[in-house]
Structures are given as C-alpha cells and as structure tokens.
Amino acid sequence: MAGLGFSNTEFSAMLNVPVEKSHEEEASVVEEPSGAEAPAADAPGSAPTTTTPALPLPDIKKMGAWQKHTKGFGMKMLAKMGFRGRLGKDEQGVAAPVAVKARPNQMGLGFGDFKEAVTLKQNKEIERDLHGKGEDDDDDDATREHMRDDGAWRKRLAPTTHGGRKRKRKTVQDVLAEEKSAIDLIVDMRGPLAQVYTDGHMPTSTATPTEPLLGQEILYNVRHVVNQTEGTIRGLNSKISVDRARLVALQAAHETDAAAVAQTARRGEHLGAITTALAELQAFLASVDPNDDDGHGAAIDAIADTAVTLRTKYPVEFGAHHVVDVVPSLAIPLLKAAAGASTWHPLRVDAAALRLRGHFVTVRACLTTCVAPPDARDVGVFATNIDSATRHDKIYDHMVAAVLVPRLVAALHRWRVEDAEAGLALVDYLRTFIPAAHVQRLLTDHILPRLTHAVRTCQHAADVERLHDWLLPWRVHFESSFAHDVYPVIRETLARTLQAWHPQDTSVFTVLLPWKDVWAAEDFAVFTHKHIVKKLVRVLNREFAIDPRAQELAPLEWVLAWHRVLPDRQFVALLEAEFFTKWLKVLADWIEQNTSAVIPEVMGWYLGWKALFDELELLHEERICMQFHGALQLMQCIAAAPTLPGLKLLPLTYEDALLRGKKRAAAAPVHPKFDLHAVNMRDVVEEFALQHNIEFAPVRAKTRDGQVVYSFGKQHIVIDQSVVFVETAKGQFDPIDIDDLVKKA
C-alpha cells in the first residue's frame, strides 16, 4: 500500500487488521526522542502554536460496514488520503453527512408545522459532536437562551429619587440631641388645682391657690353625697319598674290560667250535660218497640231534637268531639226497621212510603243544622275535604246507601218492566228526598239493563205492538242511552216481526208510527226502505194492474195508506216508478187509437185518478203533479202533434226513481210546489232540463211570431200550446218529442 501514500501498518491500524511489516518499513522506523530531548512547547522564545481540541474518532468499522457487499474501493481511497473518520486537516470536522430536508414549493419560513433541517435529529447530533456536548448540555443552553431573551424587550426604568429631593442622613449625635431637647410634661388633674410634672420630677409650676370660701368643703361633700344618693335611687327605681312589669305579667298569666281552668270546668260541665242527654236518649230509644211504625217516627224525632238542642247549647264541644256522628249511629237502625216493615213496598207510593220519606227528611234537616261546612282539620268518621259536598251531605249519602239502596235494588229485580207507571212513580218519589247521584245510579245500573233485556226478549207480535207503551215513557230519563243501545235492538226486533207481514195488514201502523218521531229521520228511512217499501213494491208489481175497463184499487189503497208514514222521498219514488210508469203507458196505448170518441172516456178516467190523489192530499207533491201534467200532454197531443211524446225517460225501478229524486234535491234549488191547474209545458221542459242538467233559458232579443225563443242546451226551441218546436233551420221550427229533444241537447 506504499503506492497510496501510507504504509500497510497504518492501513491495517485503520481497519484493525494485522499486517506484516516489510523490510523497507522496518528500516524507516526511527525511534522517537525521549521526553528530555523533546522540544519544549512553551520554551521561551518559541513561537506560540494553536491547538485544536481533539475530537473522538468514530468507529470506522461502522462507517464501512456497508462495504461488505461491495469491493470497498471508496473507503480505501479515503483511507489512502488520510481519512480516519472525520473531515478536516486536523480531523475537527463532521463525522456524518449533514441532513437536508426539501421545503415545499413556495412555502415561507415558519409556516405551519414544517420542521427545518436544523431541527432534524441527525443535524443536532452533528452539532453536539462538533462542540463536544451531550443532550443535557443542549437543554441547559436552550434554557439559558430563553432566560436571556425573556424580558429583553422590557423598558428598564432608571432609578429616581423620592420627590426629586435628596435624602438627608442623620447621625447618632443628631438623634441623641433631638431626644435631649424634648421634654415630657405630665399634668396632674387630681385635687382642686392642676399640677405639671416634667420628666417625672416635682411640678415646675402650680396655680396660685385663692382664698377658700366659707363652707366650700361642706358643699363639696354634700354634693358628693347627693350624687351618690341619686344614683342609688335611680337603681332602685329601675328595679321597682322591672318588678312591677313582672308582677303584671304574672297577674295576666294567672288570669289566663284561671280563665282556662274555668273554661275547662265549663267544658267539663257541658260534656257532662251532653253525656247525660245522650244517655237519656239511649234509654228512650231502648224503650221503643221496633215493630211500631209510630214509635220509629217518635224515636227519629227525638234523635233530631236532641242533636239540634246540643248543637245550639254547646256548639264548641259539639263540634270538637263530633257529636253529630252519633246521629247516623242511632238513626240507621230505626230507618232500617221502618224501611223493612211490611207496610212499605218500594214500588208503591202510599202512606207508608210518605211516612218513610218524612223520616229521611227529618234526619237530613237535623244534619244540615248540626254539621258545619267541611274543614281540613276535621277528623271525624265522616270528615271530608271534597269541595262538591259538605259533611252533612256525605253523612246523608251514607245513610241512604245503607238503608234504602239494598231494598230498592231488590225491588227493581222483581219489577215487571211492562209496569212502566210503577217504575216512573218510584223514580219521581225518590227524587224528592234522596240525592240525585243515587237516583241516577239506580236508573243506569238497574232499570236500563232491565229495559234492554226486555226489548231483546220480545218474540211475539203482541209484545212488539205494546213495546212503545212501556218503553217510550222512559225516554225522558234515557234519551242518549236509548239512541245508542235500545233503539237498534228495537229495530232488529221489529224487523224479525215484519218478515211475515203483508201490506194488507194495517195493524203495523200502530207498531211503527210511534217510532217515526222518536228515531232519527235517517234511521227511520233506512228501516222503512229495507222492511216496508220492498214489500209495497212487490204488491204493486204482482197484485196490482191498471185496467180502464175494470180497475181493482185495493192493492193501491194498501200502498197509498203509507203516505203519512213513509218519508216523502220514498213514497214519491215508489209511486213514480211502480205506479205512474204503468199508468202513463196505459194512457199512451189508449190515446194511440187517435179517435175522438176516446177523448171523453180518457178525460173521465183521468179526472177519476186525479180525484183519488187529491182526496189523499198528494197533489201538493211536485213530482206527482208532473206525472198528471204528462198525462195532460198526452191527451193534448191527439190534436196538436202527429206523434206522441215518448216514455223512455220514466224511471224503470224504485231504486232508479229514488236516486233521481236524491240527485235532483241535491242539485236543484228549492222551487215552489206545483199547482196542477197552473202547470204548463214550459214547466215540464224546465223539469226535464233540471233532471238532465241541461241549460234552459230564454234567448235575448230573439222571438218567433211574438213567442219567446228558449235555449235548451245547444238547441233553440219554442213552446206553443203545450207543443215543443225545435229550430231545424234558420227561422224554421218543427215539432219534436221531448225525449228526442233531450238527446239532441
């Protein structure tokens, strides 16, 4: 390795590899001089030399450890050039490369959390290595730097003197001189004259005494004695005042205690009197015969009189000890005996019932007099804080529930619901003396269930016929309950009864008419539609035929008898669909013979039918009047028109007529009822327009031979002598059937 500038020994020392020395290297080795012969570095006259502190060399093995994977040429070249682990001539440089950290493009210094290269761990280690410091030294330097910088910006205030004046210093001699010049003065105020002492010595000066006055000493002593005596007197006076106030308080307490003792004694006497009166009352009640009705009344009167008397004489003790609680305890057994007597029957309002009511009225009057309104402090058996009732009402309710209610419930269980008069009389009788709440509970819990059960169990027609006789009188008490619970049951019962009914049987009117004004109009209409009208339709279809030669009116009379029972809408629809449709067809067939000989017979036949309906007051119905007017139109067409009006627009069934009537009533305004003698063809056309929702109105400023031209939908028509003419061309009008006119409109 000599060609590289250093020997094999040096190179092996760097690599820690033993190498044999060559002969040339051994010959070139020169012994170093000893310490005595070595030149002194600090010898006088020698030039000063600058020495750099030696830095520890790094482990070069670690630096070249990565070369085991290569040939190690680079490291060999560095070693040849004298590299031993550090840069620099004297090996005072870094032993590791400086780390570089690229800054993002266009980022300013100190932006965000970006760490500069100087803060990297590798660079800090290089800096510590160069300065020969450890990690603790770095922390101390950072702390000192922070302390040096902290507060460097603060303004340093220059010291100033107090008040701008110089302080004057005092010496010990000055202080002693000031103390010596100060003199302590003591003024002695004892005695008649004031004496002045200086520094604790005798007085330096005294006031010159004047000549004493005669008796001055005696006056002084007397004044002193008087002052002492006045003080003693004031103390005694204060003590006397306190004792007097205490005496007054004791006297007041004595009077209060005496009054309390007297009041307690009076209350004891009152309680004794109350106890005596109650004992006498108890003895009297024990002597009363329990089976004697008059004895019951006398005993109850005695209880009431005793309670009222005690309440009047001793109100405080009466209320404090709740003596009124004795009244129900003594009266309930007597009232039970009176109510349980054989002479009183709950369903009969007789003398016994009136006598029992008198007993309860007496007890209630007694309780009203003896019991005050409820108080939260009451602790009696019947005490209550309910705002809606006072204590006497509560006590009376308890007595009624204990005495009367069991007897009434037992009587109502044996009561026959058909005897409505007895039940109503009982309710009216009870309302006169027992609380309304008890009466309402009897009606709701006992009478209404019996009525509902009786309605459900009606099986025979005779029972159904008498149903309204005993049920409707209860309507005043159960209006809402009947509507929800009883009336539906009645309709079911009547429906079962009407299954085998024939319209010829008019007894159904007596069963159904009473309910017409009781049930809701809609409920009654639904019932008649299901169970009455359908059978009437069957009669008109199967048992009634229109024959001008031999007319049988009995089936029609069965139907017409319902005109005051059925709703008007149902009755008119029934006649319109099931009678007038057939009647007008028969009339049309008769008129089609077109002979003048038929006219008198047709008119007589027409007037006969009109008289029948007029007798039953049915001509006031608008739709019935329209049917008769249609008959007039048919008869007038014999001479005025070559063809007869068609009958295609007449309703075919009852349901169809009912639906038309319902739509017409909902869509059209209310018109005045037709008069048969005032009906004309214009009214007929207007009726058809309303039924088919066609616009019908006069055309403004247009006439034909002085007659008004009307618009009927898209057509222009003229009505002349009950004949309708339609405009077929401009100014030309031809007669037309009303059915064809409706189709063209």
Side-chain angles (χ1 to χ4, degrees):
M1 298 299 291
L4 296 177
F6 50 88
S7 63
N8 293 335
T9 304
E10 294 174 349
F11 185 77
S12 62
M14 288 188 294
L15 299 180
N16 293 327
V17 179
V19 180
E20 295 181 357
K21 295 182 180 180
S22 63
H23 296 285
E24 296 177 356
E25 291 175 348
E26 292 178 355
S28 61
V29 174
V30 181
E31 295 182 359
E32 295 181 358
S34 61
E37 297 177 356
D42 296 334
S46 62
T49 59
T50 303
T51 60
T52 303
L55 298 176
L57 294 177
D59 189 359
I60 199 168
K61 286 184 177 182
K62 295 182 180 180
M63 296 181 64
W66 55 273
Q67 294 184 108
K68 65 181 180 179
H69 303 292
T70 63
K71 295 182 179 181
F73 177 78
M75 194 64 189
K76 293 177 181 179
M77 289 295 294
L78 289 174
K80 183 65 177 177
M81 296 177 186
F83 178 73
R84 300 177 62 186
R86 289 186 180 276
L87 298 179
K89 179 180 179 181
D90 299 324
E91 297 181 352
Q92 76 279 10
V94 298
V98 177
V100 179
K101 186 174 183 180
R103 178 184 298 278
N105 190 22
Q106 297 183 354
M107 177 182 285
L109 293 175
F111 178 80
D113 297 333
F114 181 79
K115 293 184 178 181
E116 303 292 344
V118 69
T119 61
L120 297 178
K121 182 178 180 181
Q122 182 176 351
N123 293 340
K124 288 185 177 181
E125 291 178 354
I126 293 174
E127 185 177 2
R128 287 196 300 269
D129 190 17
L130 291 176
H131 292 84
K133 299 178 181 180
E135 295 183 359
D136 296 337
D137 297 335
D138 291 344
D139 296 338
D140 295 340
D141 293 343
T143 303
R144 285 193 296 272
E145 184 68 21
H146 175 72
M147 294 176 62
R148 182 173 63 254
D149 293 341
D150 186 25
W153 57 273
R154 293 188 178 91
K155 183 177 180 181
R156 304 300 182 185
L157 298 177
T160 57
T161 58
H162 182 70
R165 295 177 298 176
K166 295 182 179 180
R167 295 181 179 179
K168 184 178 181 180
R169 301 181 180 274
K170 292 183 179 181
T171 62
V172 177
Q173 291 77 8
D174 296 336
V175 174
L176 293 177
E178 290 178 358
E179 291 181 355
K180 188 175 182 180
S181 61
I183 301 175
D184 294 333
L185 299 178
I186 299 175
V187 180
D188 185 6
M189 301 299 294
R190 297 174 297 176
L193 299 177
Q195 297 180 357
V196 180
Y197 291 85
T198 302
D199 294 336
H201 300 287
M202 293 300 293
T204 56
S205 62
T206 56
T208 303
T210 58
E211 190 70 21
L213 299 177
L214 182 62
Q216 184 177 7
E217 183 178 358
I218 296 175
L219 292 176
Y220 175 80
N221 294 333
V222 170
R223 189 179 298 111
H224 180 69
V225 172
V226 169
N227 292 337
Q228 289 183 348
T229 305
E230 287 180 355
T232 304
I233 292 173
R234 290 192 187 96
L236 293 175
N237 188 24
S238 176
K239 185 177 180 181
I240 291 172
S241 299
V242 172
D243 294 341
R244 184 181 292 111
R246 186 177 301 171
L247 178 61
V248 171
L250 291 175
Q251 289 177 350
H254 173 71
E255 293 175 358
T256 302
D257 294 341
V261 170
Q263 185 178 8
T264 303
R266 286 195 303 272
R267 289 184 177 180
E269 295 176 358
H270 294 170
L271 289 177
I274 292 174
T275 304
T276 302
L278 293 178
E280 294 176 356
L281 177 62
Q282 186 71 22
F284 173 74
L285 296 178
S287 63
V288 175
D289 185 4
N291 298 323
D292 185 6
D293 294 339
D294 296 334
H296 297 158
I300 292 174
D301 292 340
I303 294 173
D305 294 340
T306 302
V308 172
T309 301
L310 295 178
R311 174 68 172 82
T312 305
K313 289 184 177 181
Y314 317 112
V316 177
E317 293 76 16
F318 190 90
H321 296 277
H322 301 282
V323 181
V324 70
D325 294 345
V326 176
V327 174
S329 301
L330 299 177
I332 286 177
L334 296 173
L335 292 174
K336 285 185 177 181
S342 59
T343 56
W344 179 65
H345 192 279
L347 295 176
R348 290 199 302 266
V349 182
D350 50 9
L354 297 177
R355 185 166 52 251
L356 180 63
R357 181 178 64 181
H359 298 338
F360 275 92
V361 171
T362 301
V363 172
R364 185 166 191 174
C366 170
L367 294 174
T368 305
T369 304
C370 296
V371 180
D375 190 347
R377 294 169 295 181
D378 289 342
V379 294
V381 177
F382 300 100
T384 177
N385 296 325
I386 301 176
D387 296 336
S388 60
T390 57
R391 283 192 64 217
H392 69 272
D393 290 334
K394 201 69 175 179
I395 297 174
Y396 189 71
D397 289 347
H398 169 74
M399 297 177 66
V400 170
V403 176
L404 285 181
V405 172
R407 288 294 309 276
L408 294 173
V409 171
L412 289 175
H413 285 175
R414 297 189 301 269
W415 167 61
R416 294 179 64 256
V417 294
E418 291 80 4
D419 190 5
E421 184 178 357
L424 293 171
L426 173 63
V427 172
D428 295 338
Y429 163 72
L430 295 177
R431 287 186 184 277
T432 58
F433 69 98
I434 73 172
H438 287 286
V439 178
Q440 189 61 37
R441 279 195 291 270
L442 290 174
L443 289 171
T444 305
D445 299 341
H446 302 285
I447 295 179
L448 181 60
R450 292 292 309 280
L451 296 176
T452 306
H453 177 72
V455 171
R456 291 183 182 276
T457 55
C458 283
Q459 299 294 337
H460 303 288
D463 297 336
V464 176
E465 291 178 3
R466 294 193 301 269
L467 187 63
H468 61 277
D469 293 335
W470 54 265
L471 187 62
L472 288 182
W474 292 101
R475 183 184 173 190
V476 294
H477 300 291
F478 305 108
E479 182 63 32
S480 59
S481 300
F482 276 6
H484 294 87
D485 302 329
V486 179
Y487 292 160
V489 179
I490 294 175
R491 287 191 285 271
E492 293 176 3
T493 304
L494 292 178
R496 291 196 304 267
T497 306
L498 292 174
Q499 288 179 356
W501 169 76
H502 189 273
Q504 185 178 1
D505 183 8
T506 58
S507 62
V508 72
F509 293 131
T510 59
V511 177
L512 196 59
L513 273 176
W515 304 106
K516 182 178 181 180
D517 298 330
V518 175
W519 296 345
E522 188 65 24
D523 295 337
F524 188 80
V526 171
F527 180 83
T528 54
H529 175 77
K530 291 182 178 179
H531 307 289
I532 302 297
V533 176
K534 290 184 178 181
K535 294 199 173 187
L536 297 179
V537 170
R538 188 180 298 113
V539 167
L540 291 177
N541 288 334
R542 298 180 181 180
E543 302 182 25
F544 176 70
I546 299 177
D547 187 1
R549 293 181 296 273
Q551 184 64 55
E552 177 64 32
L553 294 178
L556 181 62
E557 290 176 350
W558 302 340
V559 175
L560 294 179
W562 286 90
H563 76 281
R564 297 189 183 278
V565 181
L566 295 179
D568 294 341
R569 183 165 58 90
Q570 291 182 353
F571 186 72
V572 172
L574 175 64
L575 293 179
E576 189 177 23
E578 306 299 337
F579 171 75
F580 281 106
T581 300
K582 300 177 182 179
W583 186 72
L584 290 175
K585 287 182 180 179
V586 171
L587 180 61
D589 294 340
W590 198 357
I591 293 176
E592 280 182 353
Q593 298 177 11
N594 199 15
T595 59
S596 59
V598 177
I599 295 301
E601 297 179 5
V602 171
M603 185 58 65
W605 184 73
Y606 167 81
L607 293 176
W609 282 109
K610 188 186 74 169
L612 176 62
F613 279 82
D614 192 13
E615 182 181 356
L616 297 175
E617 299 180 357
L618 295 175
L619 294 181
H620 67 279
E621 292 291 341
E622 178 181 355
R623 292 164 64 185
I624 293 179
C625 288
M626 293 298 301
Q627 304 300 329
F628 280 99
H629 187 76
L632 286 177
Q633 183 185 10
L634 287 174
M635 290 185 290
Q636 291 176 0
C637 286
I638 295 176
T643 59
L644 293 176
L647 302 175
K648 299 178 182 179
L649 298 179
L650 293 175
L652 300 178
T653 62
Y654 161 74
E655 287 77 8
D656 186 18
L658 189 65
L659 183 60
R660 289 187 183 185
K662 184 177 181 180
K663 290 182 178 179
R664 181 178 179 277
V670 179
H671 288 274
K673 295 188 180 295
F674 280 95
D675 184 3
L676 182 61
H677 303 286
V679 174
N680 51 35
M681 193 60 188
R682 182 188 178 284
D683 297 330
V684 176
V685 175
E686 184 179 6
E687 178 68 18
F688 273 89
L690 290 174
Q691 291 182 0
H692 296 85
N693 197 19
I694 299 174
E695 182 181 359
F696 177 70
V699 179
R700 182 178 299 179
K702 186 174 182 180
T703 59
R704 175 182 176 273
D705 298 335
Q707 295 178 338
V708 180
V709 178
Y710 297 92
S711 63
F712 189 85
K714 299 178 181 179
Q715 305 295 327
H716 286 180
I717 63 172
V718 174
I719 302 174
D720 185 11
Q721 296 182 358
S722 301
V723 179
V724 180
F725 296 87
V726 65
E727 186 177 17
T728 56
K730 187 174 182 180
Q732 181 179 354
F733 289 83
D734 297 329
I736 188 173
D737 182 18
I738 189 69
D739 296 339
D740 297 336
L741 179 62
V742 171
K743 293 178 181 179
K744 289 185 177 182

